[in-house]
């Protein structure tokens, strides 16, 4: 279980997260929704140790260190949005980069096979530069790369950014598939409806604070959520 | 005479190339012009000279030892300047200034120690000349070219075939994404400074053998900067090409136009490149760094 | 904040004033200022120059001083910068109340100091060879600047005459540091003399200041295959040029300025073998029996041998000044200036042993210099004493 207790993040005078408490049960998908600047990415980055924070973050009962390499080694990997694949490296090298913390030939080969079976497209493009790929392919690569460290918890940031609705559905289905293989997922997604549909639970962040939580279905049916994030009142 | 001038140009250019590559490595990952590179050139020249003179070891051994020294010195500079500035979240301008300060400081200390004297190696190393037809090629020039090729081959092996190289290239695209892969960014940056320092050190030592050892020898760092700009900042192949091109340009301008105006023309060429092709001759349009 | 700054300034001004009064109050002392290269690539020369001057001052003071007063020598470094030379000149005049200044042998520095000396009216006795230091334009003389060795016109021409008459050379090339008027003024004189007297300068190539690679220029010279190459640069730069010329297989004889008689020249060139056969000019022949006593005195006083000609600059300049002050009868800048202008047959160590200054040019009259040759065993051999 991922547990955040009273987590605060500051950037100078701006407080990005205020006393955030949050839990993600093992092998579930939790969606984090909120407007731009609500603190969603800051929360993921705090867990990944790349922004300083106060408070406690633990995974499976153990406090996570603040050092990114140790966090990845502890089984917590982040999939940043697709533009953050290494476009100066080939697809294959991107996957190697994902395996940085467990650099052994056999494990790399095993994990690459696993990723290729999940995303056959990547296999075709293995020797191609990641910079030449389409948005959807980059997103797949980002997720595949995230799996290379054999994470038990995957933090996924905006997987649908820049994707068509069809591709978004496809990518979210893949995330569900990854989850069914036993990986816990904390998902930040601008498309609140689609992410809540696949999530077991959801949290709503507003101005750095958790303002609401519930199961995916509860949040989907909440009128306030519908108006603010699901575009039910007509401004899609 | 033209062929002799081309030989002269390539011999100068190969050194610029090696300097430019080291300079470019740090620029790639941090987006910062690292002028402490100049300090490492000067230290490389002086360390190997001192070791050769006072420990009385053969010159190649002295050069190897000095390369290790400059690598470590460069890593140390990273630790006491850049690391601290980065942890404080200070901008790259601060590092630029810090690196320039380190450069000037080291130069000033070397001026003090050497009393500003130009000195040469106690024992001849790669001295003399061989001829091919009527081409005169000093052994040191041939040696420098060979050593640059070896260094570049080793560097490209490290960059493209090792875990460290992968991390450096990844971090050069995005430090944040590299950290998310579990890469220890502090260690990687320090490693890059080490490698860059060794390249500056080997060049400094060889320049010291070729010309002489003097405290202002670090000024060759400006040629590294120019070579990088001409080749395309952030592009290692471009840095090599830029170095060779500037070496040839300098030599040919000196030979066929006017040697007194050669520096002016080199700068003019640089300005033209900056205006017409800011991404450099080998560079693609600059991608925005995230 | 501003008020505090103002009061700090006021206090500093007061301190300076008091300090200044303290010095000017020592009326029984004659202050001679010296400007020299105490740091930088030519520090060895500068430090020996100071040693030479100090030795002369010690001798004079021990013998009772000048006009019954002791001489106090204050030496400042110009740190390789002409601007710093100007700044320390002002300091010597305004703060230290020096009545006359000696130094430097760097034409660029004295060229910068000359107009300031005309304003502050404290004379400078220098070894800066560029003629424009004392005569900024034909027919005009800087009243407060003097030269105590053959000018670069004379030195360049002497070397050219030696190449033509003694070495029987017909063709020459000049390689010149464009950023150093010491070099350009000699090279121009060499070229003009050589061309006007039956020889031909095939290449006259200027290189930018600070260059260390001369292969492009030397390759060009090699193609025109001259009998000799004239490189009137400072020692270390010239050393690199000789080294690179030999690397390119150039066998032409190398001729140089009075800067080449020192070990740094050989070090920069790489070895004795490389510099062997190089000729250069110098005011002093260290092995001259006339100087043996002085050489021994210097070595005894400083525990190091005389290596650079600058020792003689420093030493002789102080004695030329002493003669001028005695002639003037009073240690005042204007009187010293007039006396310096009329310096006649004053005994010195350099050249043939005396110096006379021309009131119209402020430069020596008929002061000779030696031509030397580097031998393969690392010694320099005097060939002949040549008059301009």
């Amino acid at each position: 279980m991922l547990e955040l207790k009273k987590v605060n993040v500051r950037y100078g005078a701006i407080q990005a997260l205020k006393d955030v408490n949050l839990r993600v049960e093992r092998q579930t998908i939790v969606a984090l929704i909120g407007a731009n600047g609500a603190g969603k990415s800051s929360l993921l980055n705090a867990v990944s140790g790349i922004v300083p924070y106060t408070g406690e973050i633990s995974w499976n009962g153990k406090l996570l260190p603040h050092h990114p390499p140790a966090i990845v080694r502890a089984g917590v990997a982040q999939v940043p949005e697709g533009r953050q694949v290494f476009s100066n490296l080939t697809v294959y090298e991107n996957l190697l980069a994902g395996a940085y913390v467990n650099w052994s030939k056999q494990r790399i080969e095993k994990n690459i096979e696993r990723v290729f079976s999940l995303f056959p497209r990547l296999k075709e493009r293995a020797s191609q530069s990641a910079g030449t790929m389409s948005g959807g392919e980059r997103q797949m690569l980002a997720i595949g790369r995230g799996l290379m460290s054999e994470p038990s918890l995957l933090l996924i940031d905006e997987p649908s950014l820049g994707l068509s609705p069809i591709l978004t559905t496809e990518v979210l289905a893949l995330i569900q598939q990854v989850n069914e293989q036993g990986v816990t997922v904390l998902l930040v997604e601008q498309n609140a409806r689609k992410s809540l549909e696949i999530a077991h639970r959801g949290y709503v962040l507003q101005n750095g604070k958790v303002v609401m939580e519930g199961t995916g279905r509860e949040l989907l049916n909440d009128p306030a959520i519908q108006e603010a994030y699901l575009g039910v009142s007509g401004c899609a | 005479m033209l062929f002799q001038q081309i030989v002269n140009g390539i011999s100068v250019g190969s050194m610029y190339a090696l300097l430019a590559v080291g300079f470019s490595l740090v620029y790639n990952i941090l987006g910062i012009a690292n002028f402490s590179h100049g300090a490492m050139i000067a230290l490389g020249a002086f360390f190997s000279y001192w070791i050769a003179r006072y420990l009385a070891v053969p010159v190649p051994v002295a050069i190897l030892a000095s390369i290790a020294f400059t690598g470590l010195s460069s890593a140390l500079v990273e630790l006491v300047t850049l690391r601290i500035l980065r942890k404080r979240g200070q901008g790259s301008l601060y590092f630029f200034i810090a690196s320039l300060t380190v450069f000037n400081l080291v130069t000033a200390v070397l001026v003090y120690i050497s009393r500003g004297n130009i000195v040469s190696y106690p024992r001849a190393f790669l001295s003399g000349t061989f001829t091919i037809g009527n081409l005169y090629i000093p052994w040191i020039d041939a040696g420098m070219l060979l050593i640059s090729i070896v260094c570049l081959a080793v560097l490209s092996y490290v960059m493209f075939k090792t875990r460290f190289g992968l991390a450096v290239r990844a971090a050069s695209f995005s430090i944040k994404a590299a950290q998310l892969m579990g890469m220890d960014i502090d260690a990687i940056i320090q490693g890059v400074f080490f490698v860059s320092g060794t390249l500056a050190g080997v060049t400094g030592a060889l320049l010291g053998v070729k010309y002489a050892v003097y405290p202002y020898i670090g000024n060759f760092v400006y040629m590294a900067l120019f070579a990088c700009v001409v080749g395309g900042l952030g592009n290692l192949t471009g840095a090599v090409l830029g170095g060779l091109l500037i070496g040839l340009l300098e030599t040919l301008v000196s030979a066929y136009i006017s040697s007194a105006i050669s520096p002016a023309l080199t700068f003019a060429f640089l300005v033209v490149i900056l205006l017409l092709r800011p991404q450099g001759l080998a560079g693609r349009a600059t991608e925005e760094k995230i | 904040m501003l008020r505090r700054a103002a009061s700090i300034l006021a206090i500093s001004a007061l301190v300076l004033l008091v300090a200044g009064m303290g010095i000017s109050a020592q009326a029984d002392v004659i202050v001679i200022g010296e400007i020299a290269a105490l740091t930088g690539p030519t520090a060895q020369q500068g430090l020996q120059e100071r040693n030479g001057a100090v030795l002369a001052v010690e001798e004079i003071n021990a013998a009772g001083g000048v006009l019954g007063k002791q001489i106090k020598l204050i030496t400042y470094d110009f740190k390789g910068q002409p601007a710093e030379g100007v700044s320390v000149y002002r300091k010597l005049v305004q703060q230290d109340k020096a009545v006359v200044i000696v130094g430097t042998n760097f034409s660029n520095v004295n060229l910068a100091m000359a107009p300031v000396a005309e304003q502050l009216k404290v004379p400078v006795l220098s070894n800066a060879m560029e003629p424009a230091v004392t005569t900024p334009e034909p027919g005009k003389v800087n009243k407060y600047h003097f030269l105590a060795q053959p000018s670069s016109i004379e030195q360049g021409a002497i070397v050219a005459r030696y190449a033509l008459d003694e070495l029987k050379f017909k063709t020459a090339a000049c390689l010149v540091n464009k950023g150093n008027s010491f070099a350009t003024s000699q090279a121009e004189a060499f070229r003009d003399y050589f061309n006007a007297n039956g020889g031909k300068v095939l290449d006259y190539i200027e290189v930018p200041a600070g260059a260390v690679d001369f292969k492009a220029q030397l390759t060009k010279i090699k193609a025109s295959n001259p009998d000799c190459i004239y490189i009137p640069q400072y020692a270390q730069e010239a050393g690199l040029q000789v080294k690179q010329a030999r690397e390119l297989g150039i066998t032409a004889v190398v001729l140089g300025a009075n800067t080449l008689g020192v070990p740094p020249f050989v070090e920069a060139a790489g070895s004795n073998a490389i510099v062997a056969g190089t000729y250069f000019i110098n005011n002093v022949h260290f092995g001259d029996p006339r100087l043996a006593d002085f050489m021994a005195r210097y070595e005894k006083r400083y525990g190091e041998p005389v290596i650079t000609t600058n020792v003689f600059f420093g030493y002789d300049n102080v004695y030329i000044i002493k003669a001028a002050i005695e002639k003037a009868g009073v240690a005042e800048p204007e009187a010293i200036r007039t006396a310096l202008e009329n310096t006649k047959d004053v005994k010195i160590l350099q050249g043939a042993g005396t110096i006379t200054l021309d009131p119209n040019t402020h430069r020596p009259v008929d002061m000779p210099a030696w031509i030397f040759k580097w031998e393969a065993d690392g010694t320099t051999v005097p060939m002949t004493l040549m008059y301009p």
Side-chain angles (χ1 to χ4, degrees):
Chain A
M1 181 177 71
L2 174 74
E3 188 164 24
L4 278 71
K5 283 186 194 160
K6 293 204 148 200
V7 171
N8 285 278
V9 170
R10 284 184 159 278
Y11 304 113
I14 300 158
Q15 184 146 19
L17 291 181
K18 292 170 202 156
D19 289 336
V20 168
N21 295 305
L22 178 146
R23 296 168 144 219
V24 181
E25 296 293 339
R26 287 182 72 166
Q27 302 189 3
T28 63
I29 299 178
V30 167
L32 201 54
I33 60 176
N36 266 343
K40 296 168 300 190
S41 296
S42 294
L43 193 151
L44 295 194
N45 288 340
V47 177
S48 286
I50 61 172
V51 300
Y53 62 88
T54 59
E56 288 182 0
I57 301 180
S58 59
W59 171 237
N60 291 341
K62 276 192 208 155
L63 273 185
L64 281 177
H66 288 235
H67 189 49
I71 293 169
V72 179
R73 258 182 246 116
V76 179
Q78 186 185 142
V79 175
E81 43 103 352
R83 281 187 310 196
Q84 291 272 353
V85 298
F86 301 115
S87 58
N88 57 336
L89 307 186
T90 64
V91 168
Y92 185 78
E93 286 172 332
N94 265 277
L95 295 178
L96 285 183
Y100 191 78
V101 294
N102 42 20
W103 195 263
S104 97
K105 215 171 178 188
Q106 296 98 324
R107 280 169 85 178
I108 289 174
E109 273 169 18
K110 188 193 85 195
N111 288 325
I112 283 189
E113 279 317 308
R114 178 175 162 222
V115 170
F116 281 166
S117 67
L118 213 52
F119 307 101
R121 188 84 62 85
L122 296 183
K123 190 171 185 175
E124 294 162 25
R125 310 234 153 163
S127 59
Q128 204 172 315
S129 156
T132 64
M133 302 208 303
S134 71
E137 288 166 338
R138 284 188 201 206
Q139 204 57 64
M140 289 173 196
L141 177 56
I143 296 170
R145 185 181 67 176
L147 293 171
M148 288 296 294
S149 63
E150 302 172 11
S152 45
L153 170 63
L154 207 50
L155 314 168
I156 307 182
D157 197 6
E158 304 279 14
S160 76
L161 198 73
L163 300 191
S164 69
I166 297 172
L167 269 177
T168 304
T169 311
E170 217 174 286
V171 165
L172 290 178
L174 280 167
I175 290 171
Q176 240 175 335
Q177 202 181 327
V178 168
N179 171 246
E180 278 156 16
Q181 291 178 2
V183 178
T184 309
V185 174
L186 176 56
L187 175 65
V188 164
E189 178 49 59
Q190 53 170 354
N191 190 324
R193 180 186 299 279
K194 284 191 175 166
S195 63
L196 287 174
E197 276 170 2
I198 65 162
H200 300 98
R201 289 186 71 79
Y203 282 79
V204 181
L205 271 183
Q206 198 178 317
N207 295 328
K209 281 186 192 154
V210 173
V211 292
M212 200 179 290
E213 64 166 296
T215 64
R217 191 142 306 279
E218 281 166 7
L219 293 178
L220 275 171
N221 293 330
D222 187 289
I225 301 289
Q226 284 179 343
E227 189 174 339
Y229 303 105
L230 303 177
V232 169
S233 58
C235 44
Chain B
M1 176 166 140
L2 176 64
F3 288 112
Q4 179 71 55
Q5 294 294 12
I6 289 173
V7 168
N8 298 343
I10 288 175
S11 102
V12 176
S14 68
M15 283 297 100
Y16 292 172
L18 213 49
L19 285 178
V21 167
F23 193 80
S24 197
L25 275 176
V26 173
Y27 179 84
N28 282 0
I29 198 164
L30 294 166
I32 293 168
N34 170 31
F35 277 95
S36 70
H37 206 57
M40 299 309 137
I41 298 170
L43 286 179
F46 274 90
F47 278 147
S48 65
Y49 169 75
W50 285 329
I51 295 168
R53 164 142 290 182
Y54 299 112
L55 301 183
V57 297
V59 176
V61 177
I63 292 178
L64 282 176
S66 132
I67 294 169
F69 262 132
T70 49
L72 293 174
S73 309
S74 177
L76 183 70
V77 166
E78 189 276 333
L79 193 67
V80 298
T81 59
L82 181 62
R83 182 79 56 91
I84 293 170
L85 294 170
R86 255 183 49 231
K87 297 290 170 198
R88 285 201 203 132
Q90 260 149 343
S92 51
L93 181 63
Y94 285 89
F95 177 69
F96 174 75
I97 294 166
S99 76
L100 210 54
T101 308
V102 168
F103 178 27
N104 283 310
L105 176 74
V106 166
T107 305
V109 168
L110 291 175
V111 167
Y112 177 77
I113 295 175
S114 68
R115 291 162 83 191
N117 271 323
I118 297 182
V119 287
S120 300
Y121 282 82
R123 275 174 306 285
F125 171 60
L126 289 178
S127 67
T129 301
F130 64 95
T131 53
I132 304 176
N134 52 7
L135 282 186
Y136 280 73
I137 302 171
W139 282 106
I140 177 69
D141 286 3
M144 280 169 108
L145 185 62
L146 190 71
I147 290 166
S148 345
I149 291 169
V150 170
C151 287
L152 292 175
V154 170
L155 181 69
S156 80
Y157 177 84
V158 169
M159 290 297 284
F160 291 96
K161 299 287 177 204
T162 67
R163 181 167 176 254
F164 170 71
L166 181 73
V168 171
R169 287 186 296 139
S172 298
F173 175 75
S174 161
I175 285 180
K176 181 192 161 193
Q179 282 182 299
L180 293 179
M181 301 302 112
M183 293 168 181
D184 186 339
I185 200 69
D186 289 343
I188 291 166
I189 291 176
Q190 189 152 46
V192 165
F193 270 80
F194 178 85
V195 172
S196 161
T198 59
L199 290 171
V202 67
T203 327
L206 290 172
L207 286 169
V209 173
K210 180 177 160 82
Y211 301 119
V213 178
Y214 57 102
Y216 295 100
I217 198 168
N219 283 348
F220 274 101
V221 70
Y222 296 108
M223 303 320 290
L225 174 69
F226 299 160
C228 284
V229 171
V230 168
L233 270 170
N235 180 326
L236 293 185
T237 321
V240 173
L241 293 177
L244 287 173
L245 192 66
I246 291 208
L248 278 171
L249 184 81
E250 261 189 355
T251 308
L252 294 179
V253 166
S254 296
Y256 295 106
I257 301 178
S258 155
S259 83
I261 207 167
S262 151
L265 281 182
T266 308
F267 285 120
F269 176 64
L270 206 64
V271 171
V272 170
I273 293 276
L274 282 171
L275 291 176
L276 298 183
R277 222 182 137 74
Q279 73 273 32
L281 294 176
R284 277 177 240 116
T286 5
E287 267 187 68
E288 193 191 341
K289 255 191 147 175
I290 304 163
Chain C
M1 191 65 191
L2 205 60
R3 188 179 300 171
R4 184 195 272 181
S7 55
I8 289 174
L9 275 180
I11 292 170
S12 339
L14 206 66
V15 169
L16 280 180
L17 197 69
V18 172
M21 286 188 335
I23 287 168
S24 61
Q26 302 173 316
D28 53 335
V29 169
I30 297 171
V31 177
I32 297 179
E34 187 188 34
I35 303 174
L38 303 181
T39 56
T42 51
Q44 188 181 39
Q45 297 170 35
L47 292 167
Q48 287 217 328
E49 188 173 324
R50 181 177 62 180
N51 287 347
V54 167
L55 187 57
V57 168
E58 285 170 358
E59 288 172 5
I60 292 167
N61 284 345
V66 193
L67 306 178
K69 292 178 184 174
Q70 295 283 294
I71 295 175
K72 181 178 175 193
L73 184 78
I74 300 177
T75 310
Y76 290 130
D77 183 15
F78 64 85
K79 297 175 184 159
Q81 305 286 335
E84 185 66 20
V86 172
S87 155
V88 295
Y89 173 82
R90 285 185 188 279
K91 192 173 168 193
L92 283 167
V93 170
Q94 293 169 335
Q95 188 181 318
D96 300 319
K97 308 294 175 200
V99 291
V100 58
I101 314 284
V102 293
T104 72
N105 61 320
F106 294 85
S107 300
N108 288 353
V109 177
N110 286 81
L111 280 175
M113 275 160 56
V116 182
E118 295 304 291
Q119 288 167 14
L120 299 187
K121 301 191 190 310
V122 171
V124 179
L125 180 63
S126 84
N127 302 89
M129 287 158 48
E130 150 80 85
V133 169
T134 57
T135 51
E137 49 194 83
K140 183 172 182 288
V141 65
N142 276 331
K143 280 182 74 183
Y144 296 89
H145 246 86
F146 299 88
L147 173 66
Q149 70 164 325
S151 73
S152 48
I153 297 180
E154 290 169 344
Q155 300 208 19
I158 288 174
V159 175
R161 181 150 53 87
Y162 186 77
L164 284 167
D165 296 353
E166 306 292 326
L167 300 174
K168 309 290 178 200
F169 290 153
K170 298 272 178 279
T171 55
C174 298
L175 188 61
V176 197
N177 179 342
K178 174 129 184 74
N180 189 347
S181 56
F182 168 84
T184 52
S185 57
Q186 286 185 92
E188 282 162 12
F190 177 97
R191 178 193 60 194
D192 295 347
Y193 187 93
F194 202 82
N195 282 336
N197 290 278
K200 189 163 170 44
V201 173
L202 305 173
D203 294 296
Y204 184 86
I205 302 180
E206 293 174 325
V207 295
V212 289
D213 197 298
F214 309 97
K215 293 264 175 65
Q217 297 84 351
L218 288 165
T219 299
K220 205 168 155 186
I221 289 174
K222 188 185 177 202
S224 46
N225 192 26
D227 296 332
C228 61
I229 307 176
Y230 183 51
I231 49 166
Q233 268 71 248
Y234 291 160
Q236 294 161 328
E237 194 179 350
L240 287 179
Q241 291 168 347
V242 174
K243 175 181 175 181
Q244 292 174 25
R246 299 301 180 231
E247 279 176 357
L248 286 171
I250 297 175
T251 52
V253 168
V254 173
L255 310 165
N258 59 6
T259 43
L260 302 199
V262 292
F265 168 65
V266 184
E267 266 212 54
S271 72
N272 290 331
I274 292 172
V275 301
T278 301
Y279 292 88
F280 62 94
I281 188 170
N282 205 2
N283 306 344
V284 193
H285 163 25
F286 292 178
D288 192 335
R290 183 167 61 83
L291 304 180
D293 176 52
F294 171 78
M295 302 295 270
R297 279 209 310 281
Y298 181 92
E299 191 158 350
K300 181 159 172 261
R301 168 67 176 83
Y302 294 106
E304 64 171 30
V306 174
I307 297 168
T308 72
T309 311
N310 292 62
V311 169
F312 298 92
F313 292 163
Y315 188 84
D316 283 347
N317 287 350
V318 169
Y319 274 99
I320 298 170
I321 296 289
K322 171 180 179 271
I325 294 174
E326 280 168 346
K327 188 172 199 167
V330 51
E332 294 293 338
E334 195 57 46
I336 296 173
R337 191 209 76 80
T338 310
L340 268 177
E341 200 166 70
N342 296 301
T343 294
K344 191 163 168 45
D345 295 329
V346 171
K347 250 189 101 203
I348 57 170
L349 298 176
Q350 294 165 81
T354 59
I355 187 167
T356 297
L357 292 180
D358 180 343
N360 297 318
T361 61
H362 286 193
R363 298 195 287 264
V365 178
D366 264 343
M367 184 171 171
W370 291 85
I371 298 288
F372 287 85
K373 183 182 181 187
W374 275 102
E375 295 293 339
D377 61 1
T379 56
T380 58
V381 180
M383 308 304 289
T384 174
L385 186 68
M386 308 242 326
Y387 282 81

